[in-house]
Amino acid sequence: MLEARHTMDAPTTTSADNGTSGGGGGWFTPRNKPTSTPGSEPGPNEGHRPDATGPEGRPTTGPEARTEGTPVPPPSAAGSASTGLAEQERESPHGISTLTSVAPPAEPRVPDQREAPTPSPSTPSVSAPPAAEASPDALLIRRTMSEVTPVADKVTSYFYALLFVRHPDLRPLFPPAMDTQRDRLLRALLTAAEHIDNTDVLVDYLRNLGRGHRKYGTRPEHYPAVGECLIAALSKYAAGVWNEEMEAAWVRTYTTISQVMIDAAAADELRAPPWWYAEIVTHELRTPDVAVVTVRPDQPYPFLAGQYTSLETPWWPRIWRHYSFASAPRSDGLLSFHVKAVPAGWVSNALVHRARPGDIIRLGPPAGSMTVDHTTDSGLLCLGGGTGIAPIKAMVEDLAEHGERRPVEVFYGARTDHDLYDIDTMLRLQQSHPWLSVRAIIDQLAHQQLPDAVRAYGPWNEYDAYLSGPPGMIRSGVHALRDIGIPSERIRHDSVEELVAVEL
């Protein structure tokens, strides 16, 4: 669904009275470590065609050959939801759970396994609201956040300064330019503060995040370093309210976060590589700023229609962006993405204007729960804005391949008719499948936005809703669907960030 996510790339330790971190204490030492030997993150020169039998610098397929260590809170993006929307990296905010103990994660979901995926019911992205009464730790975390929010820029600057001075070995894990990363950290903290007790959403997100962080070369031992600096930064700028009780709450919270991510990464390491190389086989420019890019992974890449992945180009090492798959799994193993070049978008502009067939990119693991539930016969109401039509197209193909004839209503929104770059494909699908209806909603002609147009049709009480597109469209779409009676548990979109924005 969209592209953007934030990562709270930071583990914790106690802080001394002077606001700096005091001894390690071993609070964040991971409970379990993977048995494989940690490897190193590929260098900036990667991205060219890898050897056909096994790319250099990347573990081969078997678990025994993996050299990448388990993940940790790392660099730039994380994963939680992607709408085909090009460069807005929606790294869903870092969720924090206040559970005092966390059981090891269940078997990773099918898309993250090396075996062929078996469709399973999707989990709605929009979960039940947080508990009415906040936990004691949640109250302390939120009190901290209310104190540091006015000086958020100083907090994040101080945190990264501490991290890179005390642990210079971690700097290569982060992207060269840190401006976007700083914003992600703040949004992640704010989300955690507001939704610390919403474990159903946050734990699932953290597991995806832990698996996704493997591609950065992060390892369990990195968590203490990040957490130590986070605690130091918070204690310095929340000095007016900071005390031992508050520090203990942060320690407990981040310990839980770290372990969820570490456990998920360790489990994933036994069944999937930390990343895939993929060769661009076709590059079709649909408009001056939208391209359909099709790639061939160097190893089987299992995923489900409606999911997304993170993508890195050879021109911007360690800069990852999230893109939804634009088709259901194909027999030839090819993957397609719809990419819109956005202003100052490093990755999107490279993919649209610079990439050519033969170029090699890297893919992170698949993620996202905006998938079709094949255990029900409910109709599907799909709202796709801009390149957010990509995962919706994939889900329509998925339904067709399963031979299902459930009613599917697709609202394809765009600012102008020029922006309906994939309307011909959607209309061809409509001609082939009588259960599919496609409506184009053009803002400049209809004088209304996509969510408002949906109100004119219906009723939708027997439908499951799926939204994919720009953040604003997701936010207004969820509001509109709730207003017309669709319950939250039947509204799906892959972004914890948007869930937060709607509930605040």
Side-chain angles (χ1 to χ4, degrees):
M1 214 173 343
L2 14 358
E3 280 174 348
R5 304 162 203 338
H6 359 227
T7 87
M8 180 150 92
D9 301 336
T12 20
T13 317
T14 38
S15 60
D17 293 338
N18 62 0
T20 61
S21 174
W27 292 340
F28 300 95
T29 301
R31 177 175 72 232
N32 301 311
K33 292 187 179 181
T35 55
S36 59
T37 304
S40 59
E41 176 73 351
N45 295 325
E46 292 188 19
H48 303 295
R49 181 183 304 279
D51 186 282
T53 58
E56 182 179 358
R58 203 295 270 304
T60 53
T61 310
E64 66 282 357
R66 307 255 194 285
T67 57
E68 192 74 22
T70 2
V72 166
S76 87
S80 155
S82 140
T83 79
L85 190 36
E87 196 95 337
Q88 301 175 323
E89 246 199 2
R90 257 170 87 136
E91 300 183 22
S92 309
H94 236 12
I96 298 185
S97 161
T98 53
L99 299 176
T100 54
S101 63
V102 177
E107 285 297 304
R109 288 183 300 193
V110 172
D112 299 307
Q113 300 176 4
R114 297 294 296 149
E115 297 79 15
T118 332
S120 59
S122 61
T123 301
S125 299
V126 180
S127 69
E133 292 187 15
S135 66
D137 279 0
L139 294 175
L140 290 168
I141 296 294
R142 292 170 186 171
R143 187 178 180 192
T144 307
M145 293 310 302
S146 65
E147 188 78 5
V148 301
T149 296
V151 290
D153 188 62
K154 293 181 180 179
V155 175
T156 52
S157 295
Y158 187 70
F159 161 72
Y160 282 112
L162 283 179
L163 184 65
F164 296 150
V165 168
R166 294 180 180 178
H167 307 280
D169 56 307
L170 296 184
R171 185 60 181 92
L173 298 182
F174 291 78
M178 292 295 295
D179 293 349
T180 303
Q181 177 63 29
R182 288 170 36 138
D183 291 341
R184 289 193 196 112
L185 174 60
L186 174 60
R187 290 197 298 268
L189 288 169
L190 291 173
T191 300
E194 293 297 329
H195 295 266
I196 190 172
D197 291 335
N198 197 350
T199 57
D200 288 345
V201 170
L202 301 184
V203 170
D204 184 63
Y205 169 71
L206 289 172
R207 288 174 178 169
N208 275 329
L209 194 60
R211 290 190 287 264
H213 276 174
R214 293 180 59 214
K215 65 181 176 287
Y216 298 112
T218 53
R219 300 186 296 274
E221 55 269 30
H222 294 157
Y223 282 95
V226 181
E228 164 194 322
C229 297
L230 177 62
I231 287 288
L234 292 173
S235 64
K236 176 179 175 65
Y237 287 95
V241 297
W242 195 263
N243 54 34
E244 292 183 1
E245 185 181 13
M246 184 173 288
E247 180 164 304
W250 278 96
V251 168
R252 284 189 295 269
T253 295
Y254 199 78
T255 299
T256 298
I257 288 177
S258 303
Q259 197 61 58
V260 171
M261 295 172 66
I262 290 169
D263 287 347
D268 189 59
E269 187 174 11
L270 299 176
R271 62 189 70 226
W275 66 81
W276 286 254
Y277 286 103
E279 178 185 358
I280 296 177
V281 294
T282 64
H283 184 282
E284 179 187 357
L285 202 61
R286 293 286 182 86
T287 75
D289 59 357
V290 174
V292 175
V293 181
T294 301
V295 305
R296 177 183 292 110
D298 65 332
Q299 298 185 52
Y301 190 102
F303 71 98
L304 297 179
Q307 289 192 303
Y308 63 90
T309 186
S310 52
L311 187 156
E312 178 204 52
T313 71
W315 304 285
W316 297 107
R318 301 188 302 283
I319 304 293
W320 296 77
R321 293 295 182 263
H322 294 80
Y323 295 92
S324 295
F325 299 104
S327 64
R330 297 165 47 165
S331 59
D332 59 11
L334 297 181
L335 311 173
S336 293
F337 305 97
H338 293 180
V339 184
K340 179 180 176 63
V342 299
W346 295 356
V347 174
S348 66
N349 278 283
L351 287 172
V352 172
H353 301 303
R354 188 169 181 175
R356 295 293 181 269
D359 289 333
I360 302 296
I361 63 175
R362 285 203 297 166
L363 304 175
S369 62
M370 200 187 77
T371 55
V372 177
D373 182 355
H374 291 289
T375 66
T376 177
D377 57 0
S378 298
L380 274 67
L381 170 61
C382 303
L383 283 64
T387 50
I389 197 66
I392 290 173
K393 170 179 171 286
M395 289 189 292
V396 169
E397 294 177 352
D398 185 39
L399 285 166
E401 290 174 8
H402 279 76
E404 299 178 22
R405 300 180 62 83
R406 298 156 59 180
V408 178
E409 302 282 341
V410 174
F411 288 80
Y412 185 179
R415 295 187 185 90
T416 68
D417 56 355
H418 178 73
D419 295 321
L420 293 172
Y421 67 91
D422 210 35
I423 188 63
D424 290 343
T425 302
M426 297 304 299
L427 292 177
R428 282 195 296 271
L429 287 170
Q430 178 180 248
Q431 291 175 352
S432 302
H433 307 296
W435 42 263
L436 172 64
S437 174
V438 177
R439 297 183 178 89
I441 306 298
I442 303 172
D443 291 351
Q444 292 185 359
L445 298 180
H447 303 292
Q448 61 181 341
Q449 294 186 331
L450 176 60
D452 299 322
V454 177
R455 299 174 191 268
Y457 298 87
W460 306 115
N461 53 303
E462 298 298 324
Y463 284 71
D464 291 331
Y466 294 81
L467 299 91
S468 174
M473 191 219 84
I474 300 295
R475 186 180 302 110
S476 59
V478 171
H479 277 306
L481 294 175
R482 286 176 174 172
D483 288 347
I484 59 179
I486 299 181
S488 296
E489 62 271 16
R490 301 186 72 169
I491 302 175
R492 292 170 166 84
H493 63 87
D494 266 328
S495 172
V496 176
E497 178 182 5
E498 286 310 310
L499 169 63
V500 172
V502 167
E503 292 182 347
L504 289 180

